C-alpha cells in the first residue's frame, strides 16, 4: 500500500510554512518562540490536509496543547489514515542564533508503520548505500565498525570521515576515532541532517555515530529508508521514569536494536525545509508579500528524491 502522490504537495507546504514561522524569529535569541511559531504554522497546514492523521512522533508525550504532541489528531478527518512524525524546528539553537542548518522536518507513513519512539535519547549508527547488510552494529566497538566499513570500501580507516555530535558523552567514541586516525566532522546540533549526510556523496561523511534524540532518530530513519542506506538505533535510558514511559508507549524489549525497517515500514514521505541556510537546503528568503522556501523531498514509492524551491504567499 502506497501513499498517494497527491499528498506530497500539502506535506511539503507543512514544512515550508513551519520553516517560515521559525524564520520570523531567526537570530532573536528566543528558541522557544521560534519553535512555537513553527509548530503553529505546521499544525495549521496539517489540519487542512485531507487525511485522518495522527502525530506519533512529536514534541510532547501527553496532551500538551501548545505543541504538536504524540497522539494529537491532525487533518480534516477525511481521507487516508496516516502516521506523522514531526520536528517543526530541528535545531532551535541554530534558529535562535541565526546559525546554519536549522530545518523544519516531517515524515509520513500509513497508519501503524512508524516506531512510536519516546522523547528520550537514542544511540545511532548510520552508513550510506551499497554495503552488505549489517556491516556495522551498535554492539561492535568503534574500531570494529570502522575496520569493517574501511574493508568494504577498500580504503584505510585513515581515509574514513565520521560525523559526531559534539557532546562530552561522546568522548570515548571520539578517542577511539582519533586513535584510528579517522577524520571527524563535528556538529554542534541537528543530528537529523548529520545522519542524512551519510547518504550524500558530496558530504564526504562515511559514518554517523552517537547519542541524540529518539524522535530525530526516527525522522532520519525515514529519510534513509528512501535512500537505501543503513541505520541502527537503540533507546538510551537515563532513569526508571524513561523506561516506564517507553513501556507505556508499547515498547516491550527496552534493549531492542532497531534497523530502518523496524522504525519505518512500507511507503514513506520525508520533507525537510531550510529555516537558515544549511548543508541540505537553503533557508527561508523573505520576498515581501511572499517567501521562498527550499525543501528536500523524498517519497519512497514514487522514487521522488529532489530539492524543490517554492515561492509562497505569506
Ligand atoms: C539532540 C539531537 C537534535 O538536539 O536531540 C540534541 O538529536 C539535544 O541534545 O538534533 P542534548 O540533550 O545533548 O543537548 C538536537 O541537536 C537539535 O534539536
Amino acid at each position: 500500500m502506497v501513499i498517494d502522490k497527491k499528498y506530497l504537495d500539502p506535506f511539503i507546504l507543512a514544512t515550508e510554512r513551519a520553516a517560515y514561522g521559525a524564520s520570523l524569529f531567526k537570530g532573536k535569541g528566543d528558541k522557544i518562540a521560534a519553535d512555537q511559531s513553527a509548530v503553529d504554522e505546521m499544525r495549521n497546514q496539517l489540519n487542512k490536509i485531507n487525511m485522518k492523521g495522527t502525530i506519533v512522533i512529536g514534541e510532547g508525550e501527553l496532551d500538551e496543547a501548545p505543541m504538536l504532541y504524540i497522539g494529537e489528531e491532525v487533518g480534516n478527518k477525511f481521507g487516508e489514515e496516516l502516521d506523522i512524525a514531526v520536528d517543526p524546528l530541528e535545531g532551535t539553537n541554530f534558529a535562535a542564533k541565526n546559525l546554519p542548518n536549522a530545518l523544519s522536518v516531517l515524515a509520513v507513513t500509513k497508519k501503524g508503520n512508524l516506531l512510536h519512539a519516546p522523547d528520550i535519547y537514542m544511540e545511532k549508527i548510520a552508513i550510506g548505500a551499497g554495503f552488505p547488510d549489517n556491516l556495522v552494529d551498535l554492539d561492535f566497538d568503534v574500531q570494529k565498525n570502522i575496520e569493517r566499513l574501511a574493508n568494504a570500501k577498500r580504503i584505510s580507516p585513515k581515509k574514513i570521515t565520521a560525523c559526531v555530535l559534539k557532546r562530552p558523552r561522546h568522548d570515548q567514541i571520539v578517542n577511539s576515532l582519533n586513535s584510528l586516525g579517522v577524520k571527524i566532522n563535528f556538529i554542534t546540533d541537528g543530528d537529523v541532517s548529520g545522519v542524512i549526510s551519510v547518504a550524500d556523496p558530496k558530504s564526504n561523511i562515511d559514518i554517523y555515530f552517537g547519542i541524540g534524540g529518539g524522535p530525530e532518530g526516527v525522522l532520519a530513519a525515514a529519510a534513509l529508508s528512501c535512500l537505501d542506506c543503513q541505520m541502527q538505533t537503540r533507546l538510551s535510558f537515563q532513569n526508571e521514569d524513561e523506561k516506564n514511559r517507553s513501556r507505556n508507549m508499547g515498547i516491550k524489549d527496552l534493549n531492542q536494536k532497531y534497523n530502518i525497517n523496524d522504525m519505518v515500514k512500507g511507503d514513506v514521505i520525508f520533507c525537510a525545509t531550510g529555516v537558515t541556510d544549511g548543508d541540505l537546503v537553503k533557508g527561508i528568503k523573505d520576498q515581501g508579500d511572499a517567501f521562498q522556501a527550499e525543501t528536500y523531498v523524498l517519497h519512497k514509492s514514487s522514487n521522488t528524491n529532489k530539492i524543490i524551491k517554492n515561492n509562497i504567499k505569506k
Side-chain angles (χ1 to χ4, degrees):
M1 282 253 281
V2 301
I3 305 171
D4 197 301
K5 240 187 133 179
K6 70 173 186 233
Y7 279 107
L8 276 181
D9 286 344
F11 279 115
I12 292 167
L13 188 54
T15 55
E16 288 172 336
R17 293 238 54 115
Y20 167 67
S23 76
L24 299 174
F25 291 86
K26 235 171 23 185
K28 296 198 174 177
D30 187 347
K31 58 184 187 177
I32 293 171
D35 196 34
Q36 188 65 57
S37 180
V39 167
D40 293 345
E41 288 279 349
M42 184 178 275
R43 174 185 280 126
N44 194 22
Q45 171 55 23
L46 289 176
N47 280 330
K48 290 180 182 157
I49 301 180
N50 190 40
M51 63 168 169
K52 297 184 198 88
T54 307
I55 302 295
V56 297
I57 301 267
E59 299 219 311
E61 285 181 23
L62 300 164
D63 184 349
E64 293 173 20
M67 306 325 272
L68 275 158
Y69 58 88
I70 297 175
E72 181 169 345
E73 290 180 4
V74 288
N76 69 358
K77 312 264 193 293
F78 298 97
E80 291 188 24
E81 288 189 302
L82 300 173
D83 278 354
I84 306 160
V86 301
D87 195 349
L89 179 52
E90 157 67 350
T92 48
N93 286 323
F94 292 153
K97 295 180 184 161
N98 200 7
L99 292 170
N101 282 319
L103 292 172
S104 174
V105 188
L106 64 70
V108 187
T109 65
K110 292 277 195 183
K111 188 181 171 65
N113 283 357
L114 267 185
L115 176 69
H116 295 203
D119 191 1
I120 65 173
Y121 283 126
M122 184 182 247
E123 290 174 71
K124 310 175 189 182
I125 189 166
I127 55 173
F131 295 110
D133 287 346
N134 308 315
L135 186 71
V136 296
D137 195 295
L138 289 170
D139 281 332
F140 299 159
D141 60 19
V142 169
Q143 181 172 354
K144 184 165 176 184
N145 278 319
I146 292 293
E147 283 173 356
R148 284 170 64 91
L149 180 61
N151 279 339
K153 290 176 75 78
R154 297 181 200 284
I155 57 176
S156 142
K158 293 188 172 51
K159 297 274 181 213
I160 299 271
T161 303
C163 182
V164 180
L165 188 62
K166 196 154 182 45
R167 294 291 187 276
R169 61 178 177 268
H170 296 146
D171 284 354
Q172 230 179 329
I173 292 177
V174 170
N175 288 342
S176 303
L177 292 171
N178 284 338
S179 66
L180 292 163
V182 171
K183 184 175 163 197
I184 305 179
N185 195 338
F186 281 112
I187 52 172
T188 58
D189 257 311
D191 75 355
V192 175
S193 60
V195 170
I196 294 174
S197 68
V198 301
D200 177 8
K202 288 195 303 303
S203 77
N204 293 321
I205 306 282
D206 300 298
I207 185 163
Y208 183 90
F209 274 111
I211 297 177
E216 288 87 346
V218 178
L219 279 160
L224 292 195
S225 87
C226 300
L227 298 164
D228 291 327
C229 296
Q230 292 186 40
M231 180 178 186
Q232 194 181 57
T233 66
R234 179 165 50 203
L235 293 170
S236 173
F237 302 96
Q238 309 303 302
N239 52 48
E240 276 306 306
D241 174 58
E242 291 190 350
K243 292 186 179 173
N244 286 332
R245 272 161 50 202
S246 303
R247 287 193 193 97
N248 288 341
M249 287 180 75
I251 292 171
K252 293 196 181 73
D253 176 4
L254 297 181
N255 299 316
Q256 187 180 343
K257 287 184 290 183
Y258 299 99
N259 289 320
I260 291 182
N261 292 339
D262 304 312
M263 292 184 275
V264 185
K265 295 185 169 58
D267 198 14
V268 57
I269 291 173
F270 175 88
C271 307
T273 303
V275 177
T276 54
D277 287 352
D279 299 327
L280 211 52
V281 277
K282 295 243 160 50
I284 296 291
K285 286 191 187 57
D286 195 315
Q287 298 177 318
D289 291 346
F291 63 90
Q292 187 173 76
E294 206 172 280
T295 305
Y296 181 46
V297 187
L298 298 165
H299 179 205
K300 199 177 196 168
S301 65
S302 64
N303 280 322
T304 305
N305 175 352
K306 61 183 179 185
I307 288 178
I308 58 161
K309 214 184 259 185
N310 280 327
N311 296 322
I312 299 136
K313 262 190 120 40
K314 286 180 180 167

